[in-house]
Structures are given as structure tokens and as C-alpha cells.
Amino acid sequence: MNSFSPRVNTLLKEMTLNEKIGQTFQIVAGFYHEEGIKIEDLTGPITDETVAEDVLWNIGSIIDNASCDPERNRRVQETFLEHNRLGIPLLFMADIIHGYKTCFPIPLAMTCAFDPEPVLEYARTAAAEARAAGIHVTFSPMLDLSRDCRWGRVMEGPGEDPFLGEMAARAYVEGYQGANEDELKRQDRLAATLKHFAGYGFVMGGRDYDETDITEHTLREYVLRAFKAGVDAGAELVMSSFTTFEGVPANGNKKLMQDILRGELGFKGVLISDCGSINRIQGYHVAASGKEASRMAVDAGCDIDMMGFRYINDIKTLLAEKKMTMEQLDEMVGRILTLKEKLGLFEDPFKGISKERTDALYLCEDHRAKARRAAQKSMVLLQNNGLLPFSKDVKTVAVIGPNGGDININGNWSSHCDCKDSVKVYEGVQNAIPGANVLLERGCEFTARDEALLHRAVEAAKQADLVLLALGEKDCWSGEACSTTNIALTPCQMELARAVVKANPKTVALLINGRPMDLTELSGFAPAILECWFPGTEGGNAIADLVFGDVEPTGRLAMSFPYCVGQVPTYYNRSQVSHYNPSGSPNVWFQLRYSNCSIHPRFAFGHGLGYTKFSYKGLTVPAAMIRGGEITVSCTVANEGDRPGTETVQLYLRDEFAQVIRPLKELKGVQKVTLQPGEERLVSFTITEEMLKYHHRDFSFCADAGAFQVFIGHDSTVEEYKVFELKDEYPAAERQ
Ligand code: GLC
């Protein structure tokens, strides 16, 4: 007996084989549009451009990445239902990664808030806008933990830390889907897709699509944590990864998809392939035919073939050859129909879809305000010699650099958003100080110097009371298929930076980019550096808010910034190894080191400055914690500056001895504390046994009795700690 509803079981009985197979096939929306397939539709090469008429009206779902037109989506569904024998509605899916019409900062940026609120606000906003346009599912959140900023997709993910990954996963799923599955029927909810399962962030050499070679220990200890949080939060879909695990392509990997995802994590929803990734199993030379690739994917529990044209061509044969069963097909189709049922599509496939609603929702004031707030909280002040915050009492501000003008400030994976709706850097400055003279000079191209542009930029800098030097990446330099071996600012940008700072020391470097970059040289002379990421629709306004002090920077780095690409991968939660020398003293030859560079990053995980200074004192940690109990640890945080400020207090733990190597530090708690000048406050964290657990050699997940170090500080470089001991039970003497 399956777990499907009576309606789903009735449909399964009535459906023909072709109708069932059609549900497992996903194509781009362009196949239903008068103008056909548009390039924006495609996020991967398509293997076939024709879909037979009888198949077209039996399809289960489409991807619409090209537009936000509710009336067109309504027409597509209406036409489809006129042709579909049993009236089974189409599912509309899309890559809504950090904005539908109102664009929020890229996901890596929002993780830098060290606070779920920006993600929650984003997801709720995107769900309201997209569902009003007729979209039901988003291919988000991307939860791929990564330590390698050569990989362009770090911009889509939660950074290097599993605790922040879990925080993000919960916030995205709740923001998109609501607090429970009944809310999915609402006209402002989307079904969430956890992706990419699993280990994509560990591609060899940071090369997108390359193999991954991680151990099961790394998979369980780091990679799966965010996915488990997302499954526990009720995510309705999971998307497979392009990559491999233990040498087997994820999409055909039974251990990964059936045993771990569905078996251990208890995922019961729809498993969808990545774009053509079933077909791509052949490309690994692991399946000798498309049919074998389909068989592997079916056995791995994959329900939907996204644009791979495999299932539609192979399932009949696999059934005939008894290489799959009708029960397997019914399970796949049953899960897809159940998702449609949860979304309320059988009752009303047009619920809430209207131009009136999208006109009221798209880029509305409330959504813009939320996008602005998210951008403010995502930016990270990396260094500041006191230049910031700058007074608004200025006559001339020069915005200089290739990212200062009319760029796509939304960043990659923002195809539904129109960057003409977004506030650029210079516009944000104009909005903030309308009476001032704002000069705009490009200074150089992204990759090419220009003597005339450089000269004009230097002249503008000389005239200005303040210079905002907007550097970084093009929007298409980070994202999918955007791996690089060079994370430094381009030479022409560095030449511009040196010339401008020399011309006017009141220069703030603004980084607009999608990945951690090598800022070593820039940090050697820039008076201030503000990491803005790709900040979205309200980016220019948020930058001005921080520069002029209307809002204090509170962001913290969710991913380490290396000194240079040679250090990659570099990450804070590195393991204890026997040659590790905490002092790093050069007198020890045989130690963990580079001959020419620190092993530590230029800007550490958790780093970020505000406009005041905080101190930490009085770290208090009880001597013991009894298994099954909990303890409270605390520290007094004081605002030593002359401005109010919000500190992101971070709790790190270290397991001193274990069955396997363990990290030097693990983030286990975050608290935002706002203090007035001179104010101090006791900040407490509760430590539970759950926080001390790790995967043992046999992958059992539990905590060992023994010593644990407790750190409470400003970022992952905090050194002071105190130790408590986890005991199995009260010592006899203390037992009453
Ligand atoms: C892409 C991406 C995936 C995206 C999918 C659909 O190749 O890997 O993240 O959701 O195709 O566009």
C-alpha cells in the first residue's frame, strides 16, 4: 500500500502508460510559447529540439526562466488543460535563486548576514511575486557547502560553514513554503528544491562539473548537514548534482539518493534531475547507453528527467525488458501528482495568477525595502582606517570604476529580474545626497586599461571630497560554468586603484563580486574596503546607507578570503593535524606551512567591522557538563566606541580528542547584540549534547565524553578559550 491520497491513486489507475511517462518529463516553457524557445530559457545544452504533439500534452512540468508574465503562464496552462485528457495541470518551475522580480543580494551575500532574516524576507518576497505569476516551484536553495572560491557557484551557496548552511536551509524552506505543507496551497508560497545533492561544492580544483573525491566522512560531517536541515524543514523537492560520489554519478547513485537521501534523511518528496543530468550519466562512461542511464536514475529514485529526453524515450523499453517495474513508475508519478495536490493545483491551477496582483507586487515599495535591508545586512566592512562613515555634508563625490555605472548589479542567476530596475552605485549616491555633485568615471574596462579613462578618473578623484571606487567582477564572472584560476582584481583595476588612492586618500573601495577574491595588494593601501557582493535591486541605495552611516555594517564573512589563489582551499574549520603549529613560528621547519605564505586567510571567516569597537571579557564556562544535560557559557561584551553598534557574537567549540580528526573550531552559535556607547552586556549561549556530536569511524553520530574548548568572540580568529568536560554521569561523590 503506498502513501498516496485517494485522488492520486485513482489517477494512477486511470492514467495510460504514456500519460504516466509524460509526468516524469520536464521541458522548457518555450515549447508552449508562440515565439518558441528563447536562449534565456536554457541553462544547459538541450539534446533534442522536438517534442511530439501527443507527448506535449502529457508533460508533467516545465521550466520558465525567461519571463514573469502571468497572463502568458495562464494561457499556457489553459491550453494545456484543454488538451490533457485527465486534466492534470502542468507544474511551472523556475530558477528563482535570489529574486523573481525584486532582486535580493546573491545567496552567499545573504549568508554573510549571520542571521536568517534576510533569507526569510527574500524567500517570502520571491514566493509572493512568483506564485502570482503562476510559478509553483523554485530550484532553490542551493546548499552546496564549498571551500573553493575558484568555483563560480560559491555565489549561489551558503559558504564554507555547515552551521550557516543549516540556518540558510531552514530559512529558505520556511520562507518559500511557509510553516507547514498546508500553506503550499496559498497564492504566495512556492515549493522549495534543495540542490545539488550532493557534494557539488567539492569539485576537483574548483573546476565546475569535474569529479568530486570526498570521503563519506566529509559528506556526512559537512556536506549533508544543510540538506538534512532542509529535509527536516519539509522541502518538497531535491535536485541531483551533476557530479559524482565515490565514482558514481549522483543522478544514478543509489547509495546517495536512495540509501542516504530517502532512507536516512527520510526525504519523501520529488527528486528531480539537474538539467540533462540523467542523459549525462553516459558522459561519465558509466552508462553505455541512454537506456542504462535511465535505469540507473530510476533505481536511484529520480522522479523527473529535466530536459534530458531520456525517460520519455527509455521507460517503455525498460518496462518491457523488465529492467524497471510499473511499481517504480507509479511511485515516481505518485510523488509528482502528490506535489501538484499539495500545491492545490487540482482544485484551482490558476489560483492567485493575475496581472493585477503582479503589478501590485513586482518591485513594490515593501519588497524594495526588504531587498535594501537584506543588502545592508549582507555587506561586510573588511577594513576601515576611520574614513567611514562619511559625512553627507559633501559637495562632490566621485564614483569611479567599472562597477560604478550601469552594470548588472543583480549578479548571476537573476534572469527574471531586469537590472534596469536596480539602483546602481552612482544612483545610490545621488539618492543619498541629492544636493551633491556626483561624478561618474569608468577609469578602466574590466580587463583593459585605457589611458584616457584613467586620466579622467584621476582628475575626478582630485576634485572629490570622497571617492567610491567600484571594483570587482562582471556579473557573468561568477555563477555556473564560471570557474577561474585567478581570483585577483584585474591589473587594470589595480592600476586604477593605486592611481585614485594616490590622487585622493579619501577613497573607499567597493567590491562588487560573486566570490571571495585576492584583495591582498588592495588591502595594503586602500583606506577602506566594503565587500558589497552583487547586492541586487536596491544595491546602490544600500551601499550609500552604509557609506554615509545611516546604517552600520554588520555583515560577517561566510567564506574566507585567501591571500592568493595558491592558498585555495582555505577555510576556518580546518582539522587538527599533527604538523599543525599554532604559533606558526618560522623556527620549526617541519610544520604545516607554505614557504612563501601564511596558511591562514587574508580575511577570516566571521570577520567584519562596524562603526564602533567591541570588547570581550569574563568568559565563563562551567567545568563539566553531564551527558543528556546542558550548560550555559557566557561572556561580557562591551561597546568601547562612541557610536551605537551591533556586534555579531560568535560561539565556537572544539572537541579536543576524538575518533577521527576534528576541526580546530566549529561555529555553534551566533547572537546579534546592539549596544549603546559604553554599554556592556552579558551574552550567554546554551551548549547541548547535540552540539558536541560528530560522525565516528562507523559513522555513528554521537558525542564522546571528554574535553571541549569554548570560544566566544568577534570572528573565527578568537584565541581565548576555556574548557569543560562532558561526563557520562555525575561523579560518585556528587551523586545524591
Ligand atoms: C542548471 C543548474 C541548476 C539549475 C538547472 C535548471 O544546470 O545546475 O542549478 O537549477 O540547471 O536551470
Side-chain angles (χ1 to χ4, degrees):
M1 182 58 189
N2 64 38
S3 59
F4 302 133
S5 71
R7 170 197 275 127
V8 168
N9 277 311
T10 302
L11 278 171
L12 287 173
K13 290 190 183 72
E14 292 173 355
M15 290 169 83
T16 66
L17 180 56
N18 283 342
E19 289 167 338
K20 289 180 179 179
I21 295 172
Q23 288 298 314
T24 70
F25 188 23
Q26 182 176 96
I27 55 178
V28 291
F31 281 101
Y32 296 92
H33 295 160
E34 304 79 32
E35 72 275 20
I37 297 176
K38 292 168 66 177
I39 188 65
E40 297 87 341
D41 255 333
L42 300 179
T43 53
I46 63 170
T47 53
D48 194 324
E49 301 220 345
T50 55
V51 175
E53 182 76 9
D54 64 329
V55 172
L56 202 61
W57 306 119
N58 283 328
I59 293 287
S61 57
I62 59 175
I63 318 175
D64 187 347
N65 273 344
S67 80
C68 305
D69 179 351
E71 293 313 306
R72 185 166 76 171
N73 290 339
R74 171 186 286 277
R75 285 196 305 275
V76 167
Q77 188 76 279
E78 282 169 347
T79 309
F80 183 85
L81 288 172
E82 285 162 11
H83 291 78
N84 184 275
R85 183 178 72 91
L86 292 171
I88 300 173
L90 268 177
L91 267 174
F92 285 64
M93 303 194 185
D95 286 291
I96 306 166
I97 308 301
H98 56 110
Y100 190 59
K101 205 64 186 169
T102 307
C103 195
F104 280 64
I106 56 172
L108 179 59
M110 288 196 280
T111 314
C112 291
F114 273 55
D115 172 359
E117 190 200 46
V119 167
L120 260 175
E121 292 293 82
Y122 149 66
R124 286 174 180 146
T125 300
E129 292 185 350
R131 193 67 185 268
I135 303 297
H136 308 117
V137 175
T138 176
F139 296 138
S140 166
M142 189 274 221
L143 298 175
D144 301 317
L145 182 145
S146 185
R147 302 159 168 170
D148 196 328
C149 55
R150 293 170 296 183
W151 188 48
R153 302 199 75 166
V154 294
M155 55 84 54
E156 302 170 55
E160 69 192 44
D161 175 69
F163 176 87
L164 293 182
E166 291 169 329
M167 182 193 284
R170 288 190 289 268
Y172 278 110
V173 174
E174 185 189 333
Y176 287 135
Q177 298 189 173
N180 58 61
E181 70 177 45
D182 295 339
E183 288 196 29
L184 269 179
K185 290 185 170 65
R186 283 176 41 166
Q187 58 190 18
D188 58 356
R189 293 285 184 264
L190 287 177
T193 307
L194 311 179
K195 72 184 185 182
H196 306 80
F197 202 80
Y200 193 1
F202 285 79
V203 283
M204 202 71 79
R207 292 179 294 272
D208 208 351
Y209 314 126
D210 208 334
E211 68 174 299
T212 56
D213 189 16
I214 57 173
T215 62
E216 184 165 345
H217 180 265
T218 298
L219 180 86
R220 291 178 179 280
E221 193 66 20
Y222 295 96
V223 170
L224 293 184
R225 278 179 52 184
F227 285 98
K228 180 180 185 322
V231 170
D232 292 349
E236 292 294 341
L237 297 93
V238 168
M239 182 187 292
S240 66
S241 162
F242 282 129
T243 50
T244 56
F245 176 61
E246 294 179 333
V248 179
N251 219 133
N253 192 318
K254 272 188 81 172
K255 174 177 176 181
L256 199 57
M257 297 300 186
Q258 291 284 27
D259 303 347
I260 295 177
L261 175 63
R262 291 197 187 279
E264 290 181 38
L265 300 189
F267 176 66
K268 295 180 174 36
V270 171
L271 179 52
I272 184 170
S273 80
D274 199 336
C275 189
S277 59
I278 294 177
N279 195 45
R280 287 185 177 281
I281 297 175
Q282 297 177 88
Y284 282 99
H285 291 209
V286 168
S289 67
K291 186 178 64 175
E292 172 59 10
S294 291
R295 187 200 61 75
M296 287 179 69
V298 167
D299 275 359
C302 183
D303 301 314
I304 297 179
D305 172 9
M306 179 200 296
M307 284 294 287
F309 290 80
R310 282 273 49 96
Y311 279 180
I312 199 71
N313 290 311
D314 300 333
I315 284 184
K316 268 187 189 162
T317 312
L318 289 172
L319 288 168
E321 295 175 359
K322 301 201 184 320
K323 290 179 178 165
M324 76 177 278
T325 65
M326 187 53 78
E327 287 71 31
Q328 282 178 303
L329 181 58
D330 284 348
E331 276 291 310
M332 295 157 63
V333 176
R335 287 190 284 258
I336 297 163
L337 297 176
T338 299
L339 176 58
K340 296 184 181 184
E341 188 172 52
K342 285 181 174 181
L343 285 158
L345 301 192
F346 291 111
E347 285 83 15
D348 179 1
F350 304 101
K351 184 175 179 180
I353 303 176
S354 79
K355 191 174 180 317
E356 290 71 28
R357 291 192 69 240
T358 55
D359 287 350
L361 286 166
Y362 286 172
L363 295 157
C364 65
E365 204 174 305
D366 174 54
H367 290 179
R368 278 186 174 269
K370 285 168 177 163
R372 183 168 181 167
R373 183 83 192 104
Q376 292 163 354
K377 297 181 84 169
S378 304
M379 295 178 186
V380 184
L381 183 58
L382 297 179
Q383 68 185 40
N384 179 26
N385 70 353
L387 178 64
L388 293 181
F390 208 82
S391 162
K392 286 186 174 180
D393 183 17
V394 283
K395 291 189 175 33
T396 304
V397 174
V399 175
I400 296 173
N403 266 335
D406 287 322
I407 58 157
N408 174 12
I409 202 167
N410 296 335
N412 212 325
W413 286 113
S414 61
S415 62
H416 300 94
C417 311
D418 189 334
C419 56
K420 73 171 173 35
D421 299 321
S422 299
V423 180
K424 316 309 186 288
V425 175
Y426 76 99
E427 292 168 326
V429 176
Q430 288 170 332
N431 296 339
I433 45 175
N437 177 21
V438 179
L439 308 175
L440 177 59
E441 289 296 342
R442 196 164 175 73
C444 69
E445 298 307 329
F446 278 100
T447 55
R449 71 185 304 279
D450 178 306
E451 193 57 42
L453 290 179
L454 179 61
H455 176 71
R456 287 173 56 91
V458 170
E459 289 310 305
K462 286 175 182 171
Q463 297 172 45
D465 302 305
L466 171 67
V467 178
L468 300 184
L469 182 60
L471 306 172
E473 293 185 308
K474 278 185 179 175
D475 62 302
C476 60
W477 285 6
S478 44
E480 184 176 352
C482 296
S483 295
T484 181
T485 59
N486 186 347
I487 59 172
L489 290 166
T490 52
C492 54
Q493 290 188 67
M494 286 310 300
E495 177 190 32
L496 175 66
R498 285 190 292 272
V500 164
V501 171
K502 185 178 174 197
N504 188 338
K506 293 185 177 177
T507 294
V508 182
L510 305 176
L511 267 296
I512 295 176
N513 51 300
R515 57 161 43 94
M517 296 186 79
D518 166 357
L519 304 178
T520 304
E521 184 186 351
L522 181 69
S523 64
F525 63 84
I529 302 177
L530 181 63
E531 176 54 73
C532 307
W533 305 110
F534 283 103
T537 299
E538 284 292 314
N541 285 333
I543 289 170
D545 293 337
L546 269 57
V547 164
F548 294 109
D550 291 345
V551 173
E552 176 205 19
T554 56
R556 298 288 182 268
L557 290 182
M559 205 168 169
S560 307
F561 275 49
Y563 275 99
C564 62
V565 72
Q567 264 193 329
V568 176
T570 183
Y571 47 98
Y572 88 94
N573 47 359
R574 57 146 306 106
S575 301
Q576 165 65 29
V577 291
S578 65
H579 282 77
Y580 177 60
N581 174 8
S583 72
S585 65
N587 307 330
V588 178
W589 180 258
F590 299 105
Q591 68 171 304
L592 177 73
R593 66 191 184 100
Y594 293 110
S595 57
N596 60 345
C597 182
S598 163
I599 61 168
H600 301 295
R602 174 65 191 83
F603 293 110
F605 174 87
H607 171 71
L609 305 177
Y611 289 148
T612 187
K613 185 164 173 38
F614 292 96
S615 66
Y616 289 72
K617 57 181 184 274
L619 176 61
T620 304
V621 175
M625 172 177 161
I626 304 304
R627 192 180 291 281
E630 56 188 44
I631 58 172
T632 298
V633 298
S634 63
C635 189
T636 298
V637 181
N639 180 346
E640 308 284 0
D642 56 8
R643 293 172 66 100
T646 298
E647 174 65 338
T648 303
V649 182
Q650 298 162 40
L651 169 70
Y652 293 91
L653 295 181
R654 178 185 180 181
D655 185 347
E656 283 199 346
F657 291 92
Q659 270 196 2
V660 296
I661 57 175
R662 304 280 290 118
L664 298 177
K665 283 194 184 84
E666 295 179 277
L667 182 67
K668 293 289 184 180
V670 172
Q671 284 188 45
K672 298 274 184 180
V673 178
T674 300
L675 300 174
Q676 293 306 313
E679 184 184 2
E680 64 179 45
R681 189 172 305 162
L682 185 72
V683 179
S684 302
F685 292 92
T686 298
I687 294 180
T688 64
E689 186 176 344
E690 189 64 25
M691 292 159 73
L692 311 180
K693 293 181 177 177
Y694 72 95
H695 291 86
H696 287 57
R697 289 178 202 148
D698 62 358
F699 301 127
S700 58
F701 187 62
C702 52
D704 303 335
F708 289 83
Q709 297 174 5
V710 178
F711 305 76
I712 298 178
H714 173 79
D715 62 29
S716 62
T717 64
V718 52
E719 292 183 350
E720 187 197 1
Y721 67 85
K722 287 192 175 165
V723 175
F724 73 88
E725 188 174 351
L726 175 64
K727 295 183 174 181
D728 284 322
E729 55 185 15
Y730 283 102
E734 291 174 37
R735 254 177 272 146
Q736 307 306 330

